[in-house]
Amino acid sequence: MIEVYIDGASTGNPGQAGAGIFIKANGTVKHYSIPLGEMTSHEAEFWALIKALEICTESSYSVVSFRTDSKIVEDTVEKRYAKREPFKTLIDKAVTYIDNFDLFFIKWVPSKSNPADQLAKKAIQLNRK
Protein backbone atom coordinates (compact mmCIF):
# COMPACT_ATOMS: atom_id res chain seq x y z
CA MET A 1 0.00 0.00 0.00
CA ILE A 2 1.23 3.47 -0.91
CA GLU A 3 1.22 6.03 1.93
CA VAL A 4 0.56 9.61 0.88
CA TYR A 5 0.76 12.60 3.23
CA ILE A 6 -0.67 15.90 1.98
CA ASP A 7 -0.79 19.45 3.25
CA GLY A 8 -1.75 22.84 1.90
CA ALA A 9 -0.74 26.18 3.35
CA SER A 10 -1.06 29.88 2.60
CA THR A 11 0.48 33.07 3.96
CA GLY A 12 -2.90 34.77 4.29
CA ASN A 13 -6.53 34.11 3.58
CA PRO A 14 -6.11 34.47 0.65
CA GLY A 15 -2.35 34.62 0.23
CA GLN A 16 0.53 32.90 -1.48
CA ALA A 17 -0.12 29.17 -1.21
CA GLY A 18 1.62 25.85 -1.66
CA ALA A 19 1.02 22.13 -1.57
CA GLY A 20 3.25 19.61 0.15
CA ILE A 21 3.14 15.93 -0.79
CA PHE A 22 5.13 13.12 0.84
CA ILE A 23 4.82 9.65 -0.70
CA LYS A 24 6.18 6.37 0.69
CA ALA A 25 6.02 3.77 -2.06
CA ASN A 26 7.74 0.41 -2.29
CA GLY A 27 10.63 1.38 -0.03
CA THR A 28 11.22 4.79 -1.59
CA VAL A 29 10.20 8.26 -0.47
CA LYS A 30 9.27 11.12 -2.78
CA HIS A 31 8.83 14.76 -1.75
CA TYR A 32 6.93 17.44 -3.65
CA SER A 33 6.62 21.17 -2.94
CA ILE A 34 4.20 22.70 -5.44
CA PRO A 35 3.55 26.46 -5.55
CA LEU A 36 -0.13 27.23 -6.07
CA GLY A 37 -0.28 31.01 -6.46
CA GLU A 38 -2.81 32.98 -4.44
CA MET A 39 -5.68 31.23 -2.64
CA THR A 40 -7.06 30.46 0.80
CA SER A 41 -5.55 27.83 3.07
CA HIS A 42 -8.60 25.57 2.64
CA GLU A 43 -8.33 25.79 -1.14
CA ALA A 44 -4.63 24.91 -0.85
CA GLU A 45 -5.53 21.82 1.19
CA PHE A 46 -7.86 20.63 -1.58
CA TRP A 47 -5.29 21.39 -4.28
CA ALA A 48 -2.71 19.35 -2.33
CA LEU A 49 -5.17 16.44 -2.47
CA ILE A 50 -5.75 16.87 -6.20
CA LYS A 51 -2.03 17.20 -7.03
CA ALA A 52 -1.26 14.08 -4.99
CA LEU A 53 -4.05 12.16 -6.72
CA GLU A 54 -2.62 13.21 -10.09
CA ILE A 55 0.87 12.01 -9.06
CA CYS A 56 -0.50 8.67 -7.82
CA THR A 57 -2.49 8.20 -11.02
CA GLU A 58 0.54 9.00 -13.21
CA SER A 59 2.58 6.53 -11.13
CA SER A 60 -0.04 3.81 -11.72
CA TYR A 61 -0.62 3.21 -8.01
CA SER A 62 -3.79 1.20 -7.40
CA VAL A 63 -3.99 1.07 -3.59
CA VAL A 64 -3.36 4.34 -1.75
CA SER A 65 -3.76 5.51 1.82
CA PHE A 66 -3.85 9.29 2.23
CA ARG A 67 -3.13 11.24 5.42
CA THR A 68 -4.14 14.87 5.89
CA ASP A 69 -4.13 17.29 8.80
CA SER A 70 -7.21 19.01 7.33
CA LYS A 71 -10.50 17.86 8.85
CA ILE A 72 -12.41 19.69 6.11
CA VAL A 73 -10.62 17.68 3.40
CA GLU A 74 -11.07 14.38 5.23
CA ASP A 75 -14.77 15.02 5.92
CA THR A 76 -15.49 16.28 2.40
CA VAL A 77 -13.77 13.29 0.78
CA GLU A 78 -15.60 10.85 3.06
CA LYS A 79 -18.96 12.47 2.21
CA ARG A 80 -17.93 13.09 -1.42
CA TYR A 81 -19.86 16.32 -1.18
CA ALA A 82 -19.35 20.03 -0.60
CA LYS A 83 -22.14 22.56 -0.56
CA ARG A 84 -20.22 25.72 -1.53
CA GLU A 85 -17.83 26.74 -4.26
CA PRO A 86 -14.94 26.44 -4.82
CA PHE A 87 -14.96 23.28 -2.70
CA LYS A 88 -17.78 21.65 -4.69
CA THR A 89 -15.77 21.88 -7.92
CA LEU A 90 -12.57 20.74 -6.17
CA ILE A 91 -14.13 17.67 -4.55
CA ASP A 92 -15.81 16.72 -7.82
CA LYS A 93 -12.40 16.86 -9.50
CA ALA A 94 -10.82 14.79 -6.72
CA VAL A 95 -13.54 12.12 -6.87
CA THR A 96 -12.88 11.53 -10.57
CA TYR A 97 -9.36 10.43 -9.60
CA ILE A 98 -10.38 8.59 -6.41
CA ASP A 99 -12.85 6.41 -8.31
CA ASN A 100 -10.04 5.05 -10.49
CA PHE A 101 -8.10 3.48 -7.60
CA ASP A 102 -8.74 -0.11 -6.55
CA LEU A 103 -8.63 1.04 -2.92
CA PHE A 104 -8.51 4.58 -1.54
CA PHE A 105 -8.35 5.52 2.13
CA ILE A 106 -8.08 8.91 3.80
CA LYS A 107 -7.36 9.59 7.45
CA TRP A 108 -6.82 12.70 9.56
CA VAL A 109 -3.47 13.06 11.35
CA PRO A 110 -2.21 15.86 13.61
CA SER A 111 -0.01 18.50 11.93
CA LYS A 112 3.01 17.42 13.97
CA SER A 113 2.70 13.91 12.46
CA ASN A 114 2.44 15.16 8.87
CA PRO A 115 5.75 15.25 6.97
CA ALA A 116 4.02 17.19 4.16
CA ASP A 117 3.66 20.23 6.44
CA GLN A 118 7.21 21.51 5.85
CA LEU A 119 6.94 20.73 2.14
CA ALA A 120 3.85 22.95 1.87
CA LYS A 121 5.65 25.81 3.62
CA LYS A 122 8.59 25.40 1.26
CA ALA A 123 6.18 25.53 -1.71
CA ILE A 124 4.92 28.94 -0.56
CA GLN A 125 8.46 30.28 -0.90
CA LEU A 126 8.68 28.87 -4.44
CA ASN A 127 5.85 31.24 -5.49
CA ARG A 128 8.27 34.13 -5.01
CA LYS A 129 10.97 32.81 -7.34
Side-chain angles (χ1 to χ4, degrees):
M1 179 174 310
I2 309 304
E3 289 183 45
V4 182
Y5 292 82
I6 58 171
D7 194 25
S10 70
T11 57
N13 238 359
Q16 292 297 308
I21 302 165
F22 179 95
I23 300 175
K24 290 194 320 190
N26 308 319
T28 63
V29 174
K30 297 178 183 177
H31 305 129
Y32 300 88
S33 291
I34 303 168
L36 298 172
E38 189 167 309
M39 63 182 63
T40 68
S41 59
H42 287 312
E43 287 172 293
E45 296 280 4
F46 278 94
W47 276 108
L49 169 68
I50 291 166
K51 296 293 186 183
L53 290 166
E54 289 172 352
I55 291 166
C56 290
T57 298
E58 291 166 6
S59 299
S60 299
Y61 299 143
S62 60
V63 178
V64 294
S65 179
F66 274 56
R67 309 285 193 275
T68 178
D69 57 20
S70 170
K71 278 302 274 178
I72 190 170
V73 168
E74 181 203 26
D75 291 344
T76 303
V77 169
E78 289 292 334
K79 292 176 190 171
R80 293 175 160 243
Y81 174 78
K83 191 183 289 188
R84 296 182 320 197
E85 290 296 343
F87 308 113
K88 182 176 178 357
T89 298
L90 295 172
I91 192 60
D92 289 347
K93 184 175 181 70
V95 167
T96 62
Y97 286 104
I98 291 168
D99 286 345
N100 289 317
F101 294 106
D102 292 339
L103 285 172
F104 173 88
F105 302 98
I106 190 162
K107 178 182 175 183
W108 179 85
V109 295
S111 292
K112 66 179 184 277
S113 301
N114 188 349
D117 181 68
Q118 290 301 314
L119 297 169
K121 290 174 182 167
K122 178 181 172 187
I124 291 171
Q125 302 304 316
L126 294 174
N127 281 302
R128 298 180 180 138
K129 293 184 178 181

